[in-house]
Amino acid sequence: MYSSLLLSTGVSIFLTILIVLISCGLIVLLVWSIGRERNRYITEKLQLSDLNAQAFDDMVKRRVTGANKNTRFTVVYIEINDAKNIREAFGEKQYNAAVSIFAERISKALPKDTKICVREYDLLAAFINEDLDKKILTDMLEFSLVEGHKPISLMARVKLQFDFNMGAANYDAQYADNADQFINNVESSLIASKRAGVNTYVIYSPDLMGGETEEYKYYQEIKAAIEANEFTLYCQPIHDLRSDTTFGFETLLRWNHKTLGVLPPSKFLNIMEQTGDILWVGNWAFEQLVIALNRHIKEHPESGAYFTMNLSAKQLMNPKLCDELMRVLKKHHAPAERIVMEIVDFNMYESLSVPSENVARLAQLGFKIALDDFGVDISSIKILKNIKADFIKFDRKFIEQSQDDFLAGGMATTILAYAEQNNMLVVAEGIENETLLDYVKGLKIPLGQGYYFGKPLSFSEYGI
């Protein structure tokens, strides 16, 4: 009886183990099957594995070539903002994984047979072979914004959230009689979206576009220049007229164009501002400034020189501005107190909260604040009471006007007195000759800047 009981117990244990093993095997098989089906579904739906940019373009061309007056389909371009910076920060493998998840989420908002390809590392293209009216397409793009903006988990406790823009065009032979023209419509929609700000979309319409096609080509050239590291930082000295010494350096962005040579900001900053690339380039320029400042402090410990840079309107509208700047400062262990942030569009602060909050926080963090291009403008004078600035920069036109215009001269004297009473320093810009220098000294303006003291040159040419 004892042996029978022992046998019965052994059989029970064996059967239990067998059942557990079979269950585990079934679970593993089920998980594997689900994973296989999921991967098959993604591959079929997204076509990311076998539909490259060339194949996508060929598909669109074939569709246009065989089109008739009733042919309708839609192409959407989806561009990820700040992709270069993200890819460098997380690595190409993690970035590509995030793009795959991002594409999968975008696809949820689009019809089942939509084909998506990665045209460039920061640009996806979707082909929707359906006749969509504007309301349905609008709803899809709205849903795409929601899905695409959800955080993506890459590693333990690390989440990435893409900001992006979308441009879409419904094919209509009336507005595009060839594939190139149709793709130009899509590209024009994308550039219009970037003008509107991040996380927006634009659907092509003939009355919407002006010169966006040419601007898009120029924008693509700028993107290539960013990839090729063709942008560089120059600097120009700011002179202390009281002690006849160098007070600091203003940093200035330049494009070292492969065929046109070194281009000034007037040739490219406007479109960067419109497309949002100024955010990435601004962060890059700030880091170059910080590196140069640290190098100057190390080589000239006795110097108290300030380094200045301009903040664009787009940067000041960025709620993450201060966090991004502080991340760079902490990375390089640099002092905020030696950096001056120059602000041109300071009149926006009376009506917009984000720029005002950014300027206030910059001051709290130790940055110096300068009001740039200060001129004969009553609103400019009023703004002095609303912004706690450390510097006022008189533009050259204001200086020249104050020589011959009684009103401008009186305003200059008033502002100088106000600045002295409130511990603010005034910088006279555009000093190019000794006559103008003598006039500025006569006004007792403490600081001067212009070609008389030095042209914008590379850091190395100024020994930095």
Side-chain angles (χ1 to χ4, degrees):
M1 181 163 179
Y2 175 76
S3 60
S4 176
L5 181 61
L6 187 62
L7 180 62
S8 177
T9 303
V11 170
S12 298
I13 294 173
F14 173 76
L15 290 175
T16 302
I17 294 173
L18 183 62
I19 291 170
V20 170
L21 290 174
I22 292 172
S23 299
C24 290
L26 289 172
I27 291 171
V28 170
L29 181 62
L30 180 62
V31 170
W32 177 80
S33 299
I34 292 172
R36 185 183 64 177
E37 287 302 307
R38 181 177 179 273
N39 290 335
R40 184 184 63 79
Y41 169 77
I42 292 172
T43 301
E44 287 180 356
K45 186 168 185 179
L46 301 185
Q47 296 293 305
L48 287 170
S49 60
D50 57 2
L51 189 63
N52 58 26
Q54 185 60 53
F56 187 93
D57 289 348
D58 289 344
M59 179 177 63
V60 173
K61 288 178 181 178
R62 287 195 304 272
R63 195 77 174 86
V64 173
T65 302
N68 56 48
K69 64 179 182 180
N70 297 317
T71 298
R72 295 290 184 274
F73 61 89
T74 302
V75 170
V76 183
Y77 276 4
I78 306 122
E79 183 170 316
I80 300 169
N81 287 268
D82 203 24
K84 185 177 187 291
N85 221 16
I86 296 170
R87 188 170 62 168
E88 290 177 354
F90 291 94
E92 190 167 354
K93 184 177 180 180
Q94 291 289 338
Y95 173 79
N96 290 340
V99 170
S100 293
I101 296 171
F102 174 73
E104 181 183 352
R105 290 178 178 175
I106 292 292
S107 74
K108 292 178 180 178
L110 304 176
K112 184 177 180 181
D113 294 328
T114 297
K115 292 180 173 61
I116 298 181
C117 83
V118 179
R119 289 189 59 82
E120 301 172 33
Y121 75 94
D122 63 342
L123 181 65
L124 279 66
F127 180 90
I128 306 170
N129 194 25
E130 290 187 20
D131 185 4
L132 303 174
D133 64 32
K134 189 171 182 179
K135 175 64 170 65
I136 293 174
L137 182 55
T138 297
D139 290 343
M140 287 181 177
L141 296 178
E142 289 280 1
F143 187 30
S144 296
L145 286 177
V146 174
E147 289 296 313
H149 200 53
K150 290 180 179 178
I152 298 169
S153 298
L154 291 182
M155 298 169 285
R157 286 187 256 176
V158 176
K159 290 188 176 181
L160 175 62
Q161 193 170 30
F162 283 140
D163 288 321
F164 60 101
N165 289 86
M166 295 186 292
N170 286 317
Y171 176 77
D172 189 329
Q174 181 181 351
Y175 304 123
D177 56 7
N178 60 68
D180 290 338
Q181 185 178 346
F182 174 65
I183 290 300
N184 282 343
N185 293 347
V186 183
E187 292 172 346
S188 297
S189 300
L190 180 61
I191 200 71
S193 169
K194 293 179 76 67
R195 284 180 187 274
V198 296
N199 302 317
T200 60
Y201 63 86
V202 167
I203 300 172
Y204 176 82
S205 62
D207 59 341
L208 176 69
M209 305 304 163
E212 279 81 0
T213 299
E214 287 302 314
E215 285 200 13
Y216 186 81
K217 292 177 182 177
Y218 188 54
Y219 167 59
Q220 291 294 86
E221 191 176 353
I222 289 176
K223 284 180 65 179
I226 292 172
E227 289 296 310
N229 296 315
E230 292 179 7
F231 288 96
T232 187
L233 214 58
Y234 274 30
C235 65
Q236 184 178 34
I238 300 170
H239 204 70
D240 192 323
L241 305 179
R242 302 161 298 183
S243 60
D244 197 26
T245 58
T246 299
F247 183 83
F249 297 91
E250 179 178 357
T251 56
L252 304 159
L253 189 64
R254 294 290 186 268
W255 180 1
N256 191 13
H257 197 282
K258 56 189 175 184
T259 57
L260 301 177
V262 179
L263 300 180
S266 59
K267 297 292 185 181
F268 57 86
L269 274 190
N270 184 48
I271 192 166
M272 279 188 168
E273 184 83 8
Q274 293 169 355
T275 61
D277 271 307
I278 191 64
L279 298 177
W280 178 87
V281 174
N283 288 341
W284 171 86
F286 179 71
E287 185 157 17
Q288 301 310 302
L289 176 153
V290 168
I291 293 170
L293 171 61
N294 276 351
R295 188 166 59 241
H296 184 73
I297 291 173
K298 183 178 180 180
E299 295 174 0
H300 305 280
E302 76 288 350
S303 171
Y306 291 91
F307 279 57
T308 84
M309 72 172 285
N310 283 280
L311 286 177
S312 73
K314 183 79 75 172
Q315 287 174 286
L316 286 166
M317 287 297 296
N318 177 16
K320 301 176 183 177
L321 172 67
C322 294
D323 293 335
E324 291 170 354
L325 298 181
M326 288 307 297
R327 176 183 57 80
V328 174
L329 284 184
K330 290 176 182 177
K331 175 182 175 181
H332 295 282
H333 307 287
E337 295 76 13
R338 294 280 290 275
I339 300 174
V340 182
M341 292 301 182
E342 299 190 14
I343 302 158
V344 178
D345 301 306
F346 40 83
N347 287 317
M348 70 168 66
Y349 302 115
E350 289 187 321
S351 58
L352 299 173
S353 61
V354 173
S356 180
E357 290 166 4
N358 273 333
V359 172
R361 192 177 171 207
L362 285 170
Q364 291 171 358
L365 292 170
F367 291 96
K368 305 299 181 185
I369 305 297
L371 302 182
D372 197 10
D373 287 349
F374 206 91
V376 185
D377 188 343
I378 297 298
S379 61
S380 296
I381 297 173
K382 287 181 178 179
I383 210 73
L384 287 174
K385 296 181 180 180
N386 299 331
I387 298 179
K388 187 182 182 305
D390 302 282
F391 299 90
I392 301 172
K393 301 191 77 173
F394 285 172
D395 63 27
R396 179 176 176 173
K397 185 178 179 181
F398 185 24
I399 296 294
E400 291 175 340
Q401 279 183 306
S402 67
Q403 286 181 284
D404 306 316
D405 188 300
F406 177 78
L407 178 61
M411 287 177 65
T413 302
T414 300
I415 294 169
L416 282 164
Y418 181 88
E420 186 175 357
Q421 292 171 5
N422 291 274
N423 298 315
M424 302 165 71
L425 291 175
V426 175
V427 184
E429 296 183 295
I431 299 177
E432 297 184 1
N433 53 60
E434 198 162 347
T435 301
L436 198 56
L437 174 62
D438 289 340
Y439 176 72
V440 167
K441 284 183 175 179
L443 288 175
K444 296 184 179 180
I445 295 177
L447 305 174
Q449 182 179 351
Y451 277 29
Y452 184 84
F453 305 109
K455 297 180 179 180
L457 299 170
S458 66
F459 284 120
S460 60
E461 289 177 282
Y462 278 115
I464 299 174

